[in-house]
């Protein structure tokens, strides 16, 4: 009986003697290279996706299973890039761990010298307690409470204490003076330390107002003043004179009318100015506010409490408010190790905490908001912290949904992948970190950082609000983020 081996050998011999090999190719054949799918499992698929994006600069990422903590795939996971506002997710964890979800900040009205017959015998003090959500409506309620307490006259001074936190003139000195997202920071803040500038075309020139408006009140302020200058540019200039914010605006840039929020550089003076106006509306005449460096023992006359910490953090993450992040972060540092000397020192304390709590050895933040471009964080660091935070159930409920979009940028309703994450955007810097749930219910933690630091470094300070090319680059970075999420959903969740 012929064996299978004999059969195969004889068959090969027959082929060799036939014309099948008579015209063999002069060069050896090579397998045709196939284009690796961006949805292919393994490192090649991830590499292919990042390569095809052709995003100038660097793109790094990491994704892990939240239940096992296993790192599923990564590219440049140990490379530190600016996290932008994704840093606020770490600040939220810091505040929850150090201060707690129920922590509230308190703003108080105090009196020295006692109160007799409606007269404050000593000084009246507006004492800030680090509340980042204090607004004009809250001060109005405190002024009303002062009246209800029977106060009608103050014999001494009207003082403002903002020393609960260090004074920071601007969150990021590299930002233009006029951007509202980089105001001053101190132990008191009003309306996120922004003043409302409005202009309307008049018969000759413009009418302008500077006020501390809310929906209920519009008290004009004296601590921020605006002058219209006859020039094309720059649009705004700023100078501080005797504790007053002095602004000029280019008249040729105003048009028919408009409004914008400008940053406040003297938060204590601003809050004191507004409270003085509101108190006067209740028949209480106060002298001009003066700053005090120390807080004496005094009688409590009125107070306002902030919302609980978890409510504030949800708002901070939803609206990506820089001032909230800085004040909450510095308050946590104060509770952990005493009042920090500066914003950078407070960020360094948070870095130490992150190393102790989550082993984040590659994270070096210079603030709590991510606005400073010198901050650095690695995908491995944040993804590890996210996995730990998922197990505690503390962070995910505070993150807002990240909507996936179609090729035309429209939100895809009912998309099978659900994402809750914190975005981060600076010029030529874009980040995303959070949690995703795939179609089959698999839950993953992920971090994506992208940055073109060379291009960013060439932007003049005056043009950092809207530099040329930044919008297009950031749009492409967000498209890459979605492609990565869809890849992970296909590879690890189906």
């Amino acid at each position: 009986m012929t064996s299978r081996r004999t059969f195969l050998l004889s068959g090969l011999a027959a082929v060799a003697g036939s014309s099948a090999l008579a015209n063999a190719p002069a060069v050896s054949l090579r397998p045709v290279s196939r284009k690796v799918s961006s949805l292919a499992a393994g490192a090649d698929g991830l590499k292919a996706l990042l390569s095809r994006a052709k995003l100038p600069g660097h793109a790094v990422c990491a994704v892990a299973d939240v239940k096992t903590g296993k790192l599923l795939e990564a590219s440049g996971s140990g490379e530190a890039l600016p996290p932008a506002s994704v840093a606020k997710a770490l600040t939220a964890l810091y505040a929850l761990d150090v201060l707690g979800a129920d922590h509230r900040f308190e703003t108080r009205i105090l009196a020295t010298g006692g109160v007799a017959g409606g007269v404050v015998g000593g000084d009246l003090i507006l004492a800030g307690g680090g509340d980042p959500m204090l607004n004009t409506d809250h001060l109005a309620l405190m002024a009303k409470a002062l009246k209800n307490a029977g106060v009608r006259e103050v014999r001494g001074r009207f003082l403002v204490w903002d020393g609960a936190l260090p004074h920071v003139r601007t969150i990021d000195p590299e930002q233009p003076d006029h951007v509202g997202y980089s105001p001053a920071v101190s132990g008191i803040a009003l309306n996120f330390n922004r003043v409302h500038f409005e202009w309307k075309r008049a018969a000759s020139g413009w009418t302008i107002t500077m006020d501390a408006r809310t929906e209920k009140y519009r008290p004009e302020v004296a601590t921020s003043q605006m002058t219209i200058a006859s020039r094309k540019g720059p649009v705004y200039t700023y100078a501080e004179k005797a504790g007053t914010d002095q602004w000029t605006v280019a008249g040729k840039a105003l048009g028919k009318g408009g409004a914008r929020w400008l940053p406040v550089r003297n938060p204590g003076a601003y809050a004191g100015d507004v409270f003085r106006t509101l108190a006067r509306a209740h028949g209480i005449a106060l002298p001009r506010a003066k700053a005090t460096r120390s807080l004496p023992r005094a009688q409590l006359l009125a107070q306002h409490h902030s919302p609980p910490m978890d409510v504030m953090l949800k708002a901070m993450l939803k609206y990506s408010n820089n001032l909230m992040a800085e004040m909450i972060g510095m308050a946590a540092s104060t509770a952990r190790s005493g009042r920090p000397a500066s914003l950078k020192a407070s960020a360094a304390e948070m870095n130490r905490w992150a190393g102790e709590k989550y082993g984040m050895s590659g994270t070096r933040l210079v603030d709590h908001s991510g606005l400073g471009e010198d901050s650095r964080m690695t995908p491995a660091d944040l993804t590890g912290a996210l996995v730990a935070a998922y197990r505690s159930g503390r962070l995910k409920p505070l993150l807002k949904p990240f909507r996936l979009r179609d090729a035309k940028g429209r939100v895809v309703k009912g998309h099978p992948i659900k994402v809750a994450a914190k975005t981060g955007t600076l010029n030529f810097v874009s980040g995303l970190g959070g949690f995703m749930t795939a179609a089959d219910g698999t839950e993953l933690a992920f971090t994506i950082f992208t940055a073109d630091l060379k291009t960013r470094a060439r932007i003049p300070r005056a043009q950092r609000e809207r530099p040329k090319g930044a919008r297009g680059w950031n749009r492409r970075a967000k498209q890459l983020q979605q492609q990565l999420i869809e890849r992970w959903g296909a590879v690890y969740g189906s």
Side-chain angles (χ1 to χ4, degrees):
M1 186 174 182
T2 306
S3 69
R4 184 173 183 274
R5 180 174 182 275
T6 303
F7 174 81
L8 290 173
L9 289 173
S10 62
L12 287 172
V15 171
S18 71
S19 60
L21 296 180
N23 297 311
V27 295
S28 60
L29 294 175
R30 296 184 180 180
V32 177
S33 62
R34 294 185 177 182
K35 198 172 184 180
V36 178
S37 170
S38 297
L39 299 179
D44 288 344
L46 177 60
K47 183 178 179 181
L49 191 157
L50 295 173
S51 177
R52 285 172 198 158
K54 295 182 179 179
L55 184 70
H58 294 272
V60 295
C61 62
V63 62
D65 187 298
V66 296
K67 293 181 179 178
T68 65
K70 180 183 178 181
L71 181 66
L72 300 174
E73 67 179 30
S75 178
S77 63
E79 183 177 349
L81 291 179
S85 286
V86 179
K88 293 183 177 73
L90 186 64
T91 299
L93 290 173
Y94 185 44
L96 288 171
D97 188 59
V98 177
L99 298 173
D102 297 325
H103 181 83
R104 295 173 184 261
F105 297 104
E106 183 181 50
T107 305
R108 297 171 294 165
I109 300 293
L110 306 170
T112 65
V115 181
V119 178
V120 175
D123 299 330
L124 191 75
I125 306 169
L126 172 60
D131 181 0
M133 297 188 73
L134 185 72
N135 64 32
T136 298
D137 291 350
H138 302 143
L139 289 188
L141 289 173
M142 293 176 74
K144 183 178 180 181
L146 197 62
K147 177 184 178 182
N148 292 340
V151 174
R152 53 185 176 81
E153 183 183 348
V154 176
R155 293 276 173 85
R157 301 167 297 173
F158 173 41
L159 304 175
V160 179
W161 181 72
D162 66 356
L165 300 175
H167 186 276
V168 180
R169 184 180 176 276
T170 177
I171 296 172
D172 179 19
E174 297 302 317
Q175 298 295 329
D177 288 328
H178 64 276
V179 294
Y181 55 77
S182 187
V185 186
S186 74
I188 195 167
L190 182 66
N191 303 326
F192 304 111
N193 282 342
R194 298 179 306 172
V195 62
H196 190 263
F197 166 48
E198 184 174 14
W199 64 96
K200 294 180 180 179
R201 192 74 185 186
S204 59
W206 294 267
T207 59
I208 60 175
T209 58
M210 299 283 275
D211 60 55
R213 69 177 56 189
T214 59
E215 291 185 4
K216 292 184 179 181
Y217 303 95
R218 293 189 179 185
E220 293 192 12
V221 300
T223 50
S224 292
Q225 298 179 1
M226 178 66 72
T227 301
I228 299 176
S230 180
R231 64 170 189 265
K232 288 185 178 180
V235 177
Y236 294 97
T237 68
Y238 170 82
E240 181 181 342
K241 296 180 181 178
T244 300
D245 293 335
Q246 299 281 353
W247 295 93
T248 73
V249 62
K252 295 183 180 180
L254 291 180
K256 294 182 179 180
R260 75 170 292 159
W261 290 92
L262 292 170
V264 166
R265 303 293 177 212
N266 295 281
Y270 176 50
D273 184 17
V274 173
F275 185 78
R276 183 180 181 223
T277 299
L278 296 169
R280 185 168 59 245
H282 288 286
I284 306 170
L286 297 177
R288 184 175 179 179
K290 294 183 178 181
T292 179
R293 293 185 178 182
S294 60
L295 189 62
R297 289 188 178 183
Q299 179 182 347
L300 177 66
L301 299 181
Q303 60 187 335
H304 169 75
H305 290 95
S306 73
M309 180 59 69
D310 57 352
V311 173
M312 289 190 288
L313 292 176
K314 192 175 181 69
M316 178 195 78
L317 293 169
K318 180 178 180 180
Y319 299 106
S320 203
N321 187 279
N322 294 328
L323 179 72
M324 292 184 71
E326 304 303 356
M327 292 185 71
I328 290 171
M330 287 201 291
S333 294
T334 299
R336 179 174 151 88
S337 61
R339 185 179 180 274
S342 65
L343 176 56
K344 190 172 182 178
S346 181
E349 185 62 30
M350 187 169 78
N351 293 336
R352 283 188 287 274
W353 165 86
E356 297 166 5
K357 183 80 174 180
Y358 299 117
M360 298 177 70
S361 59
T363 295
R364 296 291 182 272
L365 301 179
V366 299
D367 55 35
H368 300 286
S369 66
L371 184 59
E373 67 177 6
D374 290 335
S375 284
R376 294 292 183 271
M377 183 182 286
T378 69
D381 271 1
L382 184 59
T383 303
L386 290 172
V387 169
Y390 179 87
R391 292 169 180 167
S392 70
R394 305 180 83 178
L395 181 63
K396 187 179 178 182
L398 303 180
L399 296 171
K400 71 176 183 179
F402 178 82
R403 308 294 185 186
L404 299 181
R405 301 174 181 271
D406 62 19
K408 294 184 178 180
R410 298 171 299 194
V411 172
V412 179
K413 296 181 180 180
H415 197 289
I417 299 176
K418 307 300 180 185
V419 181
K422 181 68 194 81
T423 59
T425 303
L426 297 171
N427 295 319
F428 298 100
V429 173
S430 184
L432 186 69
F435 306 97
M436 59 174 285
T437 304
D440 69 347
T442 300
E443 294 187 88
L444 308 174
F446 69 90
T447 303
I448 306 166
F449 293 145
T450 54
D452 185 353
L453 297 180
K454 290 183 179 179
T455 300
R456 179 176 171 80
R458 293 195 293 266
I459 305 172
R461 180 174 179 267
Q463 298 178 16
R464 289 201 166 187
E465 188 174 14
R466 295 186 186 90
K468 183 178 180 181
R471 181 175 295 181
W473 186 95
N474 284 80
R475 182 172 59 250
R476 291 174 60 187
K478 293 183 184 300
Q479 291 170 347
L480 173 59
Q481 291 166 3
Q482 176 161 326
Q483 291 166 2
L484 285 166
I485 289 170
E486 290 175 333
R487 166 182 165 75
W488 294 329
V491 174
Y492 301 108
S494 61

